[in-house]
Amino acid sequence: MSECNHQCEGCASADQCDHKIEKAKFNSASSVKKVIGILSGKGGVGKSFVTSLLASSLSKKGYKVGILDADVTGPSIPKSFGITQQAFGDGQFIYPIETKSGIKVMSSNLLLDKADDPIVWRGPLLGGLVKQFYEDVYWGDLDYLLIDMPPGTADVALTVFQMLPPDELIIVTSPQDLVSLIVSKALKMAQMMNIHLLGVIENMSYVECPHCHKPIYLYGHSHIDDLQKELGFTLLGKMPIDVSAVGLIDEGKAEDIDSKEIDEIVNKYIIEEK
């Protein structure tokens, strides 16, 4: 058998390949116009933070939005929106919890008795749970479903991309020295899985001085512009470190954050209606 390229269609060895994974489908009660995956090449760059702000911005503009928290072992979306109740099912569907503005959220944390209980599972079980979130959750009618991906490009992320191929992908990164290697790996993964890359968001790019309003580069000057020219991706925007926004996330008030940078990204790159 030849080496697997993770493209099952048209492959003569697909039936014998261990990587062959059945594609997930939404149930008959759910209609989703666009699915966008948010990925980071490593943890700690604010992927879930960006996902929460993107969802909030879209919701404020009148769109129906859902978040599928695929970061099963490190879920943080419920806390960002102050969700404490558990999800429930009726034997046919699992019902997501809605935030105060109506964003539908499904996360592994919503199935636990205690939010700080760990999920110690191997990759196939994690992928199976994410597939269940995709297929069995009553999403209803959504304009956008954002998938908060697990960090990295390992087994769980690969399985998610194979089972639930999003329409588009956003990569979140930070201005640290290893960014070129990390972004390059994430870009190659998107290309390998034939997923359209919407672009890259650099988070924690700078801090704005409260007095002179000039940017302060805590991590040194970013090389993302040079990397953009080298690799040819779209740089969607640069996000500053905003202490007040971080505080609101900790309080579960993601929907109270106003981010002009996120609004610009949503208006220019995500919303299709011009």
Side-chain angles (χ1 to χ4, degrees):
M1 185 183 298
S2 60
E3 183 179 354
C4 179
N5 63 4
H6 305 288
Q7 299 178 25
C8 298
E9 293 184 10
C11 178
S13 304
D15 291 337
Q16 292 81 37
C17 182
D18 292 336
H19 293 108
K20 182 180 170 88
I21 296 177
E22 183 180 354
K23 292 288 193 296
K25 297 180 180 179
F26 289 113
N27 55 66
S28 59
S30 300
S31 175
V32 179
K33 294 180 180 178
K34 177 161 287 189
V35 179
I36 301 176
I38 293 87
L39 174 72
S40 62
K42 63 183 291 294
V45 300
K47 167 184 56 65
S48 298
F49 174 75
V50 170
T51 301
S52 300
L53 295 193
L54 288 171
S56 297
S57 178
L58 285 165
S59 179
K60 290 174 184 176
K61 297 178 189 303
Y63 293 94
K64 297 177 181 178
V65 187
I67 302 177
L68 191 163
D69 190 353
D71 192 357
V72 176
T73 59
S76 57
I77 294 295
K79 178 175 173 55
S80 298
F81 290 94
I83 298 174
T84 56
Q85 63 267 51
Q86 287 183 301
F88 66 95
D90 60 6
Q92 182 179 11
F93 300 116
I94 302 171
Y95 293 89
I97 301 300
E98 293 193 18
T99 69
K100 65 180 183 180
S101 70
I103 299 171
K104 296 180 179 179
V105 174
M106 191 64 230
S107 170
S108 60
N109 254 23
L110 304 183
L111 304 177
L112 302 175
D113 291 330
K114 296 181 180 179
D116 58 354
D117 285 345
I119 294 181
V120 188
W121 292 357
R122 294 189 182 275
L125 291 176
L126 299 176
L129 180 61
V130 174
K131 183 180 180 183
Q132 188 176 19
F133 287 169
Y134 197 85
E135 293 185 326
D136 296 342
V137 169
Y138 186 96
W139 292 109
D141 294 326
L142 293 181
D143 296 304
Y144 296 94
L145 177 65
L146 307 184
I147 301 182
D148 186 20
M149 297 289 299
T153 57
D155 180 62
V156 177
L158 178 61
T159 301
V160 170
F161 277 143
Q162 287 179 312
M163 287 193 305
L164 342 166
D167 300 304
E168 294 178 329
L169 181 67
I170 292 173
I171 295 174
V172 179
T173 187
S174 61
Q176 294 168 321
D177 289 339
L178 291 176
V179 66
S180 59
L181 178 62
I182 293 166
V183 171
S184 179
K185 285 179 178 290
L187 285 171
K188 288 180 179 178
M189 183 178 191
Q191 293 169 355
M192 182 178 70
M193 303 307 297
N194 290 321
I195 299 173
H196 176 251
L197 176 66
L198 194 61
V200 176
I201 297 175
E202 183 179 75
N203 190 35
M204 300 185 289
S205 184
Y206 59 91
V207 174
E208 185 179 282
C209 175
H211 303 292
C212 67
H213 302 293
K214 291 183 178 180
I216 301 171
Y217 299 99
L218 296 181
Y219 296 102
H221 282 276
S222 166
H223 301 290
I224 195 72
D225 296 298
D226 295 332
L227 191 61
Q228 177 192 18
K229 294 176 182 177
E230 178 186 344
L231 300 179
F233 58 81
T234 299
L235 180 59
L236 302 180
K238 298 179 181 180
M239 297 279 297
I241 298 174
D242 186 339
V243 176
S244 62
V246 174
L248 287 171
I249 286 286
D250 288 340
E251 295 173 14
K253 299 178 179 179
E255 290 155 303
D256 293 343
I257 299 173
D258 290 318
S259 169
K260 63 179 182 180
E261 292 81 11
I262 286 291
D263 285 341
E264 289 174 359
I265 292 169
V266 167
N267 288 332
K268 187 173 182 179
Y269 296 104
I270 296 181
I271 297 175
E272 293 183 344
E273 294 80 6
K274 300 297 184 184

